[in-house]
Amino acid sequence: MERWSLMAIAVLLALTVRWAVSLGSYSGAGKPPLYGDYEAQRHWQEITYNLPIRQWYFNTSDNNLQYWGLDYPPLTAYHSFVCAYIAKLINPDWVALHTSRGYESQPHKLFMRATVFVADLLVYIPAVILYCVSLKETSAKKKASTCALCILLYPGLILIDHGHFQYPLSLGLALWAVLCLSHDWDLLGSMAFCLALNYKQMELYHSLPFFCYLLGKCFKKGLKGKGLVLLAKLAGTVLVSFAACWLPFGTDVEQIMQVLRRLFPIDRGLFEACMFSSPTHCPDKVANIWCSLSVLIKIKNVISPRTQLKLSFAVTFLSLLPACIKLTVQPSLRGFKFALVSCALSFFLFSFQVHEKSILLVSVPVCLIINEIPFMATWFLLVSTFSLLPLLLKDGLLLPYAATAPAFLAVCLASFSILEKTSAEDLQLKAFSLSLKGYTSWFKSFPRIVRSLFLLSLSLMGVLSVLSAAVPPPQSLPDLFPLAVAVVSCLHFLLFLVYFNVVILWDSKNRGQKKIS
């Protein structure tokens, strides 16, 4: 009873923080002609309600794809239609074709914010609660409420969903998939992940760990017996799930091809959101390797878009290959969760057309292992929030950022005593340290070094945050601070990628994992 009471308090506190953030500004508020992501979501409601399905993804006189045309999979469109149906009942002006473009009012803002709250309450928050309650380790069970509180107070997701404006449905469905797999409900987990992927194509970041984990389970069971049956069931589940989502588009091949072209517009180049024409001009700053390198090397001017695509694919594939091979050969739930982090981070750092918000696809899996490596998880989640700073400043979300990030750090310090969890064993590096014969003496000072680096990192992020918010940049370098944020964050992420891969590759014990048979 006490645990559920604490869990209820954690949820209530998390909802209060979300409500407070939602009172502020949102993406593109009062900034015509394109406004921002808030208007994009409203416009999709307008389009899906007023136009037949066959026109949702096509450029027509009633659907100008240059003005926030649908570029997410069918489940996003269906969700927009449901929201539009409710909006129409409340106020038809909110979704009136053409005339509702750029519509802004306090009642409509309240409605839109409420739709995000409902998505949180129905999908994301229940998944977090059940995940924390179902943690296998005895010590983790005692910390279920504190673990849930830390996950639900992660500032990056709150600021983007309830500030900038975005729905947590794809991440919530992915969490449900992880939860199902942790209980060996493989078919339900596969269906949940298919739904997540059909809500946002960026869930491809998580696709390989799901595939490799389930394939590894099939191998372990034997492909001449139970494994083959499981493989057939999984394949059938995926086919049925995709068929159900794409059924309204399945009668016409051109419809399917048009949707795919909208989902994967490869002609836009390697980093559409961060096309540097000079070191001092970057519309949006993404903390990945291509944008950081483009400060010095104009990649888009050196190689063609098609070659850029091949390059990003090759680097991404090579960077995630070790974790995927390990997971396939030695499938374990623990390895699966760490692989979700590693593979998503590889996609974020090296893949094609990355948006700064995509870091959330890495952060949510990191939340799932915060009970195992609280120090590194907290550090990563703070850096991921910091990497969003240029976007948050553009949206007028400085105050929520300045309040939620330190509060999150304080909660993690109180919940996990993270500064005391910096030994090689605490960071899951014991096996790695033992393999470094002749360097064991260096590991004796390892906790002190790690704590010092953490405090230095916090100081650097704090200074850059203050400079970005309060100090005008030099006229010759108008994007100096956003670029600094992107590069500093990228360097952090590269080191985190190395760390997570070391943990994965040197983990041979798979502690706390039941045998797959």
Side-chain angles (χ1 to χ4, degrees), residues 459-503:
S459 301
L460 181 57
M461 290 189 289
V463 169
L464 279 176
S465 296
V466 171
L467 291 175
S468 299
V471 178
Q475 290 186 351
S476 58
L477 299 169
D479 289 317
L480 174 64
F481 298 137
L483 286 176
V485 169
V487 172
V488 167
S489 300
C490 180
L491 291 175
H492 277 83
F493 292 148
L494 285 170
L495 293 175
F496 278 117
L497 180 64
V498 173
Y499 164 75
F500 286 120
N501 273 284
V502 167
V503 172

Side-chain angles (χ1 to χ4, degrees), residues 45 49 79-90 95 111:
Q45 295 174 20
Y49 187 85
H79 176 230
S80 296
F81 176 80
V82 172
C83 292
Y85 184 84
I86 300 171
K88 180 79 172 181
L89 295 175
I90 301 172
V95 290
F111 167 76

Side-chain angles (χ1 to χ4, degrees), residues 258-278:
Q258 175 62 12
V259 176
L260 292 176
R261 282 192 289 268
R262 293 295 300 164
L263 300 187
F264 305 105
I266 61 174
D267 292 333
R268 292 180 185 175
L270 182 60
F271 34 81
E272 177 208 10
C274 188
M275 286 186 173
F276 291 95
S277 56
S278 71

Side-chain angles (χ1 to χ4, degrees), residues 44-224:
W44 295 344
Q45 295 174 20
E46 169 196 345
I47 292 302
T48 54
Y49 187 85
N50 291 285
L51 299 181
I53 290 180
R54 64 179 179 276
Q55 293 185 25
W56 287 359
Y57 291 91
F58 280 89
N59 195 55
T60 67
S61 57
D62 290 325
N63 185 20
N64 180 9
L65 294 182
Q66 296 302 312
Y67 185 82
W68 298 116
L70 259 172
D71 53 6
Y72 284 136
L75 274 189
T76 291
Y78 305 151
H79 176 230
S80 296
F81 176 80
V82 172
C83 292
Y85 184 84
I86 300 171
K88 180 79 172 181
L89 295 175
I90 301 172
N91 188 340
D93 291 341
W94 293 351
V95 290
L97 190 62
H98 301 309
T99 58
S100 64
R101 180 173 292 192
Y103 191 99
E104 292 180 307
S105 71
Q106 199 60 32
H108 184 253
K109 176 186 175 183
L110 180 61
F111 167 76
M112 294 290 281
R113 293 297 197 193
T115 61
V116 180
F117 264 89
V118 170
D120 241 344
L121 285 168
L122 293 181
V123 180
Y124 183 77
I125 291 177
V128 171
I129 294 172
L130 291 176
Y131 173 80
C132 293
V133 170
S134 67
L135 288 172
K136 297 289 190 300
E137 296 84 354
T138 304
S139 61
K141 280 190 174 183
K142 296 177 182 178
K143 295 182 179 179
S145 57
T146 55
C147 184
L149 180 62
C150 290
I151 295 175
L152 292 175
L153 288 183
Y154 166 54
L157 192 64
I158 294 174
L159 293 169
I160 293 300
D161 287 352
H162 296 272
H164 174 85
F165 199 89
Q166 180 176 277
Y167 291 102
L169 288 174
S170 63
L171 291 171
L173 289 167
L175 276 184
W176 277 104
V178 174
L179 182 63
C180 289
L181 294 191
S182 68
H183 289 281
D184 286 329
W185 302 335
D186 297 332
L187 301 186
L188 282 176
S190 298
M191 183 181 70
F193 183 70
C194 287
L195 294 178
L197 186 55
N198 278 285
Y199 191 89
K200 279 191 177 179
Q201 65 269 37
M202 283 79 77
E203 278 298 324
L204 285 169
Y205 283 36
H206 301 145
S207 58
L208 281 175
F210 274 91
F211 175 79
C212 293
Y213 175 67
L214 291 171
L215 182 63
K217 288 188 72 170
C218 293
F219 286 152
K220 287 291 183 181
K221 290 175 180 290
L223 286 182
K224 292 183 179 180

Side-chain angles (χ1 to χ4, degrees), residues 228-400:
L228 183 60
V229 173
L230 177 59
L231 185 62
K233 289 181 178 179
L234 289 170
T237 301
V238 171
L239 290 174
V240 170
S241 300
F242 269 81
C245 292
W246 287 74
L247 186 60
F249 303 92
T251 57
D252 186 356
V253 175
E254 181 55 29
Q255 278 276 347
I256 296 176
M257 295 307 299
Q258 175 62 12
V259 176
L260 292 176
R261 282 192 289 268
R262 293 295 300 164
L263 300 187
F264 305 105
I266 61 174
D267 292 333
R268 292 180 185 175
L270 182 60
F271 34 81
E272 177 208 10
C274 188
M275 286 186 173
F276 291 95
S277 56
S278 71
T280 61
H281 177 69
C282 177
D284 292 307
K285 292 81 187 169
V286 185
N288 76 349
I289 193 69
W290 307 120
C291 289
S292 299
L293 283 177
S294 290
V295 177
L296 302 173
I297 305 170
K298 304 301 175 290
I299 298 176
K300 71 184 186 70
N301 295 334
V302 175
I303 56 180
S304 67
R306 295 285 172 175
T307 306
Q308 294 170 25
L309 176 61
K310 294 175 183 177
L311 175 64
S312 66
F313 174 81
V315 177
T316 304
F317 178 75
L318 290 174
S319 67
L320 53 79
L321 189 60
C324 288
I325 292 175
K326 177 69 180 291
L327 184 60
T328 305
V329 175
Q330 298 179 4
S332 70
L333 186 61
R334 181 175 183 273
F336 168 62
K337 290 187 287 187
F338 273 86
L340 283 173
V341 175
S342 174
C343 291
L345 188 52
S346 290
F347 269 100
F348 179 82
L349 284 170
F350 306 117
S351 68
F352 200 74
Q353 291 183 12
V354 174
H355 194 281
E356 58 263 58
K357 292 182 295 184
S358 297
I359 192 60
L360 299 179
L361 292 156
V362 190
S363 300
V364 170
V366 170
C367 288
L368 300 182
I369 55 176
I370 195 169
N371 64 299
E372 297 191 46
I373 47 167
F375 177 81
M376 294 301 283
T378 301
W379 191 356
F380 180 92
L381 294 173
L382 288 170
V383 175
S384 68
T385 303
F386 169 71
S387 73
L388 296 166
L389 181 60
L391 177 65
L392 299 175
L393 289 176
K394 188 168 63 175
D395 291 340
L397 296 170
L398 173 62
L399 182 59

